[in-house]
Amino acid sequence: MVSKLSLPNNRISRRKALKIGGAAAATGLLYTPAIHAASSNKVVVGTWGGTYGADQKETLFDPFTEATGIEVEIINGSAMNSAAAKRFVETGTYEWDAAGFGQIEFTVAHSNGLLEPIDYSVVSSDDKTPDTQFHDFGVSISTTSETICYRTDVFGDDGPRTWADYWDVEKYPGPRGMWKNAYTFVVFCLLADGVPYEEVYPLDLERAFAKADEIKDDVTVWWTSGSQSQDVIRSKNVVMTELWSGRAAALKKEGVPIEISYDSGVLSKGWWVIPKGAPNRENAMKLFDFIAGPKPGADFATRQLYGPTNLKSIDLIEPDLRPLMNTSPENFDKQLQYEGGDYWVENLAKVNERFLTWLVT
Amino acid sequence: MTAALFYPLSLMVWRSFSDPELGFQHYLRLAEQPVYLRITLTTLEVSAIVTLACLLIGYPVAYAASNRGPRMRLILLATVMMPFWTSLLVRTYAFMVILGQGGPFTSLFDILAWQEPPRLIYNRFGAILGMIYVMLPFMVMTIFAVTSEIDANYRKAARSLGAGPWRAFTDVYLPQSYPGITGGVLLVFIVSIGFYVTPALLGGRKETFIAQVIQLNVQEIINWGFAAGLAVVLLIVTMTLLLVYDRLLGHESVMRPRGVGSE
């Protein structure tokens, strides 16, 4: 809303606008988006920052610059979601030209018409696996899985491996952690109730929330961020929790006594996208062509332990790291492959509202 | 300044009636779904408790800082201001360590062999404690700004006319500090209503604040019209409460500025 001030059709006097801008700037509340020149020799990417962003830089962006001479400008810790894309498209000012979205953000952004179609004359299929990597509006290089992790110092080797086990508070007592997130939780409820993978969609919400009631008082922590999810099981505030696979693998590598179960995991892809009309979109396509190749995919997966979507990457990953990843054959086959894109376009708001109602009651 | 406030505000109000289509759709949904009322009430209730607690803790601190000599003043104010030099997120995470499993309290409970010790985090208690810690400096500084200006001679006069120390406090000192109390209460309460991180990290499932719902609708579902509707409702509720507060308890408040700092 604030950035609308820069729109030419704004019916507001210049003096007034200056006054507003001055006051806003003085209070430090206004973020001023950088305006990027077209046809430059660079591409601006948004990243989460942290080790994830640092690994992206080292395994994806720096090699790209080396190979092509195109500079990659990194915006750290920027909002990277549909809301940001919508803001850019609505105001015509872009903070970044490309970013990696999660599956649901990708679905939402795409269904709202916020993304630039991918130019597959630039993103070549030669060294890639189009079936697993290409979408009309996004390119995928890595995956993530929702897993169940448990403390081995509590359960030994016989810990909860499925959502049915997670629900079984008699056999596996103790405080539990769960992502405070509607679209994953309702699926877990159905899996816990014995719904087979192929019948999960369209979701039976009555059944899901009836099952949800059974676990309500045993979920102690409804975590809201990746680092929090790691903290609560590292500190033993919970004895089991849902964890994103890369976060889980990192904890295990760190030496925290946990076991990761993919037995009723949910695997989804991350998507590199370009907000519609981004000024450096041509360079962004070139970036995608590069990072979707086998080596960058393998290098990134080696660092972050989120399995690659380029099947040609797998051979380039050290053999002893492969079993840690969500995409290794033995893990992959056990999991529910995320689908339901159309379902979520229709129902995301409704399911969220229902989840919220259930949660606070 | 007025334009800077009202222009974006009016854009937001307009959006709540016009995005994606013209009408009262968002307000109807807010009225039909009891969850939004419930979350609004939770937000207000927790914020009210935090405000009251900050007042009960903050007033004596501000009093002592104003009346117990320069040394005490320095120590107290430095202690109160210290948390300001650390980021909110770090402070909240520190609370997670202190109150959580393996922290000093759970260790103490273990030593005492307490069978079913109370949980200190991931519930209302944790959320409130964390918020008090964040908001206390605002309360103390606002009250201190007023109490430090109160002339000690007034109380001496009261004592010399035969009032006991308690009477001199309640009848002479306390009324002079009302502007500080009013300001502190307003400030703490209004800022608390907008909290997001602290209740999300230290609270349980029921401590879902309205800011989290707005964020969900802005960022994930990108239903900005509905998010704007939520914000407008919160604004109206807050304004109404403030008006009621001002009518009932307000002495020299922001709405009828008189006494602050004047002789």
Side-chain angles (χ1 to χ4, degrees):
Chain A
M1 264 172 288
V2 167
S3 36
K4 273 203 171 149
L5 291 173
S6 57
L7 287 181
N9 64 356
N10 216 301
R11 281 189 306 250
I12 187 164
S13 77
R14 194 173 60 116
R15 252 180 70 190
K16 218 171 187 179
L18 281 173
K19 233 164 114 185
I20 296 167
T27 54
L29 290 172
L30 236 187
Y31 176 78
T32 321
I35 298 167
H36 309 293
S39 74
S40 65
N41 190 38
K42 69 171 183 184
V43 53
V44 185
V45 298
T47 84
W48 294 117
T51 61
Y52 194 89
D55 287 341
Q56 282 180 322
K57 181 178 185 305
E58 283 171 34
T59 62
L60 308 176
F61 309 148
D62 288 350
F64 169 72
T65 304
E66 214 166 280
T68 61
I70 298 168
E71 188 197 331
V72 178
E73 193 180 312
I74 297 167
I75 307 287
N76 265 333
S78 149
M80 297 194 311
N81 46 38
S82 315
K86 181 173 159 120
R87 182 156 49 92
F88 302 166
V89 173
E90 273 193 12
T91 62
T93 46
Y94 293 79
E95 280 168 40
W96 38 258
D97 304 299
F101 275 24
Q103 181 82 55
I104 206 87
E105 285 148 0
F106 176 60
T107 303
V108 171
H110 171 43
S111 68
N112 279 275
L114 299 171
L115 302 179
E116 189 75 33
I118 301 297
D119 181 354
Y120 282 106
S121 68
V122 179
V123 181
S124 86
S125 55
D126 294 347
D127 53 349
K128 307 187 183 69
T129 45
D131 283 354
T132 58
Q133 290 190 280
F134 290 1
H135 182 283
D136 286 352
F137 290 87
V139 177
S140 177
I141 75 162
S142 77
T143 58
T144 180
S145 289
E146 312 299 334
T147 70
I148 300 169
C149 289
Y150 60 86
R151 299 276 309 196
T152 50
D153 53 356
V154 175
F155 297 113
D157 292 332
D158 181 33
R161 301 200 62 86
T162 65
W163 290 111
D165 291 345
Y166 181 101
W167 253 251
D168 189 344
V169 296
E170 302 286 310
K171 192 170 176 198
Y172 304 105
R176 288 144 158 80
M178 181 74 83
W179 187 13
K180 190 175 182 176
N181 186 54
Y183 63 81
T184 44
F185 179 65
V186 286
V187 171
F188 301 155
C189 292
L190 292 173
L191 296 178
D193 208 22
V195 176
Y197 285 168
E198 57 280 8
E199 287 169 27
V200 167
Y201 289 99
L203 304 181
D204 180 346
L205 292 179
E206 297 306 320
R207 186 171 175 181
F209 283 100
K211 189 71 183 171
D213 286 339
E214 292 175 19
I215 200 72
K216 198 168 193 172
D217 294 326
D218 294 286
V219 178
T220 310
V221 184
W222 291 90
W223 51 264
T224 50
S225 75
S227 59
Q228 191 193 2
S229 71
Q230 291 175 307
D231 286 339
V232 294
I233 193 158
R234 190 195 281 116
S235 62
K236 229 170 158 178
N237 274 295
V238 299
V239 294
M240 71 185 79
T241 184
E242 170 193 3
L243 274 186
W244 302 331
S245 54
R247 296 270 182 177
L251 268 187
K252 200 174 174 184
K253 226 172 130 187
E254 190 183 294
V256 179
I258 58 160
E259 190 50 56
I260 307 165
S261 169
Y262 290 97
D263 288 7
S264 50
V266 180
L267 189 140
S268 65
K269 290 174 194 171
W271 293 95
W272 279 89
V273 297
I274 303 168
K276 193 184 258 176
N280 302 305
R281 54 185 176 275
E282 282 167 34
N283 287 338
M285 301 287 178
K286 290 177 192 162
L287 175 71
F288 292 180
D289 179 52
F290 181 85
I291 64 177
K295 184 153 175 13
D299 290 346
F300 182 69
T302 299
R303 295 281 187 90
Q304 284 287 324
L305 302 171
Y306 285 111
T309 50
N310 188 333
L311 303 181
K312 294 173 183 174
S313 296
I314 295 166
D315 292 339
L316 303 174
I317 296 169
E318 273 185 56
D320 51 328
L321 278 180
R322 287 180 215 164
L324 271 178
M325 286 181 199
N326 54 334
T327 48
S328 76
E330 63 273 27
N331 292 335
F332 187 88
D333 293 339
K334 291 183 212 162
Q335 298 176 70
L336 169 64
Q337 311 300 315
Y338 171 91
E339 329 150 52
D342 292 340
Y343 177 85
W344 289 118
V345 170
E346 293 293 316
N347 296 295
L348 185 61
K350 192 181 85 184
V351 174
N352 261 302
E353 194 164 74
R354 180 116 190 229
F355 173 67
L356 212 53
T357 307
W358 177 83
L359 196 68
V360 301
T361 314
Chain B
M1 264 323 266
T2 315
L5 181 67
F6 282 101
Y7 178 66
L9 193 62
S10 56
L11 278 182
M12 185 182 78
V13 174
W14 171 241
R15 199 184 262 276
S16 72
F17 289 107
S18 66
D19 183 2
E21 53 205 34
L22 217 56
F24 294 94
Q25 45 186 334
H26 301 308
Y27 294 98
L28 288 174
R29 188 174 147 204
L30 281 169
E32 278 167 8
Q33 297 289 339
V35 63
Y36 300 107
L37 176 65
R38 180 184 274 267
I39 290 174
T40 307
L41 290 178
T42 302
T43 307
L44 296 173
E45 188 190 322
V46 173
S47 301
I49 296 171
V50 168
T51 308
L52 187 65
C54 281
L55 179 62
L56 293 178
I57 303 166
Y59 193 90
V61 175
Y63 180 88
S66 309
N67 296 292
R68 291 284 178 271
R71 206 183 145 86
M72 191 62 153
R73 170 180 301 209
L74 187 71
I75 293 170
L76 282 175
L77 294 187
T79 316
V80 166
M81 294 305 289
M82 206 92 81
F84 265 141
W85 301 329
T86 324
S87 93
L88 176 68
L89 206 58
V90 171
R91 277 182 276 160
T92 304
Y93 267 90
F95 257 103
M96 289 166 66
V97 174
I98 294 167
L99 300 178
Q101 200 63 40
F105 289 102
T106 58
S107 306
L108 183 68
F109 294 158
D110 279 349
I111 294 167
L112 298 172
W114 195 338
Q115 287 304 320
E116 297 246 330
R119 193 142 42 77
L120 304 174
I121 190 175
Y122 309 123
N123 52 22
R124 185 148 299 192
F125 177 81
I128 288 173
L129 195 63
M131 286 176 67
I132 292 172
Y133 182 69
V134 174
M135 293 313 300
L136 192 57
F138 292 93
M139 183 67 87
V140 171
M141 293 317 287
T142 313
I143 297 175
F144 175 76
V146 175
T147 53
S148 61
E149 298 291 320
I150 296 174
D151 195 332
N153 287 326
Y154 286 120
R155 249 188 320 167
K156 285 181 191 154
R159 294 297 304 276
S160 72
L161 291 169
W166 180 248
R167 183 93 197 276
F169 172 76
T170 55
D171 284 15
V172 176
Y173 190 88
L174 190 62
Q176 291 184 85
S177 68
Y178 280 157
I181 294 176
T182 307
V185 165
L186 288 177
L187 186 66
V188 171
F189 184 68
I190 293 171
V191 175
S192 295
I193 285 172
F195 259 58
Y196 177 88
V197 171
T198 310
L201 289 177
L202 300 175
R205 64 182 163 85
K206 289 183 177 170
E207 282 69 55
T208 297
F209 266 43
I210 195 114
Q212 291 180 50
V213 185
I214 294 175
Q215 190 260 5
L216 180 76
N217 280 283
V218 169
Q219 298 217 333
E220 193 178 303
I221 306 173
I222 55 169
N223 188 346
W224 291 4
F226 186 63
L230 274 168
V232 168
V233 168
L234 183 65
L235 186 68
I236 292 169
V237 170
T238 312
M239 296 288 274
T240 310
L241 282 177
L242 293 184
L243 281 173
V244 169
Y245 175 87
D246 196 56
R247 285 278 171 279
L248 294 180
L249 300 162
H251 300 278
E252 279 96 24
S253 76
V254 280
M255 287 161 214
R256 279 173 288 153
R258 268 192 290 138
V260 185
S262 66
E263 297 298 331

